[in-house]
Amino acid sequence: MKLKLANPLWVPVKALLCRTTTTRRRNHFTATAINSLGEKKDEVLVVVGGGAAGVYGAIRAKTLSPELRVLVIEKGRFLSKVKISGGGRCNVTNGHCTDTIRLAENYPRGNKELKGSFFYTHGPADTMSWFSERGVPLKTEDDGRVFPVSDNSSSVVDCLLHEATIRGVRLERGKSVLSASTQPDGKFLVKVGKRTADVSESIQASYLLIATGSSPQGHSLATQFGHSIVDPVPSLFTFKINDPLLAELAGISFSKVQAKLKLEHPCPDMSKLVQVGPMLVTHWGLSGPVILRLSAWGARHLFTSEYKGLLIVDFIPDINIETAKSLLKQHKLQFPKNKVSNTFPPQFGLVNRFWRYTLDREGSSKDTLWASLSNNSLSSISDLLKHCTFQVTGKGQYKDEFVTAGGVPLSEISLKTMESRLVPNLFFAGEVLNVDGVTGGFNFQNAWSGGYIAGTHIGKLASNISSTERKVVGL
């Protein structure tokens, strides 16, 4: 039976997915199942993964080539990570990095490779325009993070799903791609089903886009086509600090600190393990942008060190140590009869609870008067504020982002097209690649850019083939 598809309407999914009974032991595909998929001239794109990169890429391909049949397969919920990111607000991208070279520097894995055409083809400004033009107004916050004006990630999710629907992209949920292989004619045979069931479905696809995020599913598929995988390790996580006194300060934040991470095994580029930015005290240790950036740049080294190391924090980075000592001496002269626990130089910009924590660490009694503080104590307090050490004992989880370092090496794909260098018409986009960014909207921008580039190239390929076929039949 040959299927004639009217565009842009879709036939039921079973016309695209041909059911065949298999057992997990034999993995048998019948010739009937393959041949009943439709006319061989039909161009089909199968996207594995219904996240940001997959859906964005599917929309782009379908926009450029309306006659291309596009199917996105997602085992869970579509755009689930988009839904929960940014505390449910969705940090769409970063609006402060308009220069592509500066933008690439926010990617611990990929910072060298992404300085080329990648973001130039589709960068943050392009992403913002795309959503704005489709009814999702955006705003850029002081730190550069871009959110929908609604402060609700549903605005982004609904926009993407609506755009996919009106373009004619088929979204299939609750199934996984179990395996994929190339056929003699260069097309892909994609086996789809539920891992717990013995019934599977076969798709013959002209193009395959793997956009599974950090899921092992995508890595498994990549290896089936001969690609290597850089072992994934966690990135973007908080630091566990075993300090009961610090835990009592949970909720206190610092607008600007300088934090330096020292590990047992030194990194090749130690400069990246020094970061400046906001920091937050939690019940289990330390978090905030400065910690998350350190975790991203030190991801592999922290993994090797079993997430143990020494964190050195400068709580007054804009004040040098000599100035700090001078301010403390001046304060002692001005308030000799005050308790040291009740007052301190306002130039430090600290909260009272943390000042008392500093005194406890230094060993000064809270009832001590300023007049009684020795010069040695003033020096010790200054040193502590400038070089406060914490023993990192493990990693926590950053609830807003679940990012890994690792995946398909960038050397095995073309960043100009996102196409595999090993297998024609096989594409990758998003976190399945060995690319990860620091917090602030950079990981989503990698997804939008990669999906857009892959979708553009697939759409052009399919459109060119469609135009050639029309010329052959005299249309």
Side-chain angles (χ1 to χ4, degrees), residues 311-315 321 361 381-389:
L311 184 70
I312 305 170
V313 181
D314 180 351
F315 287 96
I321 193 164
R361 287 272 305 251
I381 292 172
S382 299
D383 289 338
L384 197 57
L385 291 175
K386 294 294 292 182
H387 307 97
C388 192
T389 60

Side-chain angles (χ1 to χ4, degrees), residues 130-146:
W130 193 93
F131 282 103
S132 297
E133 290 167 2
R134 287 162 179 79
V136 183
L138 303 172
K139 61 180 179 179
T140 303
E141 299 194 342
D142 292 342
D143 59 2
R145 293 182 300 165
V146 176

Side-chain angles (χ1 to χ4, degrees), residues 113-131:
E113 297 88 341
L114 299 181
K115 288 179 180 178
S117 62
F118 187 75
F119 291 125
Y120 182 80
T121 302
H122 192 81
D126 302 303
T127 298
M128 294 172 69
S129 295
W130 193 93
F131 282 103

Side-chain angles (χ1 to χ4, degrees), residues 10-27:
W10 278 85
V11 297
V13 70
K14 287 183 181 178
L16 182 59
L17 298 174
C18 180
R19 187 171 297 274
T20 180
T21 302
T22 72
T23 64
R24 269 178 269 170
R25 291 181 182 176
R26 297 178 67 187
N27 291 328

Side-chain angles (χ1 to χ4, degrees), residues 281-443:
V281 181
T282 69
H283 290 289
W284 59 87
L286 296 170
S287 182
V290 73
I291 299 298
L292 296 173
R293 286 199 290 269
L294 282 175
S295 75
W297 284 104
R300 292 211 164 273
H301 306 289
L302 281 162
F303 176 79
T304 303
S305 303
E306 298 181 333
Y307 301 101
K308 293 178 174 57
L310 185 69
L311 184 70
I312 305 170
V313 181
D314 180 351
F315 287 96
I316 48 174
D318 294 328
I319 300 175
N320 64 47
I321 193 164
E322 293 304 322
T323 301
K325 291 178 183 178
S326 176
L327 289 171
L328 287 170
K329 290 178 180 179
Q330 291 174 23
H331 201 81
K332 176 181 177 179
L333 293 174
Q334 286 182 295
F335 306 96
K337 296 182 179 180
N338 285 16
K339 292 182 178 180
V340 292
S341 60
N342 292 339
T343 180
F344 56 88
Q347 294 91 334
F348 291 167
L350 307 173
V351 297
N352 289 335
R353 289 169 62 198
F354 180 73
W355 172 250
R356 294 183 187 118
Y357 167 83
T358 304
L359 295 176
D360 285 335
R361 287 272 305 251
E362 192 275 330
S364 294
S365 170
K366 295 178 182 178
D367 293 325
T368 301
L369 299 180
W370 272 98
S372 301
L373 274 184
S374 66
N375 287 335
N376 285 340
S377 292
L378 295 179
S379 294
S380 295
I381 292 172
S382 299
D383 289 338
L384 197 57
L385 291 175
K386 294 294 292 182
H387 307 97
C388 192
T389 60
F390 300 94
Q391 197 68 44
V392 179
T393 59
K395 71 176 182 67
Q397 187 179 55
Y398 181 45
K399 63 181 181 178
D400 284 346
E401 297 195 48
F402 309 93
V403 177
T404 59
V408 177
L410 293 181
S411 59
E412 296 181 7
I413 69 159
S414 167
L415 285 173
K416 292 182 178 179
T417 61
M418 307 308 291
E419 186 175 15
S420 164
R421 295 186 186 276
L422 307 182
V423 181
N425 297 331
L426 172 64
F427 297 81
F428 295 91
E431 202 183 336
V432 68
L433 297 167
N434 186 27
V435 177
D436 63 287
V438 299
T439 185
F442 299 103
N443 285 295

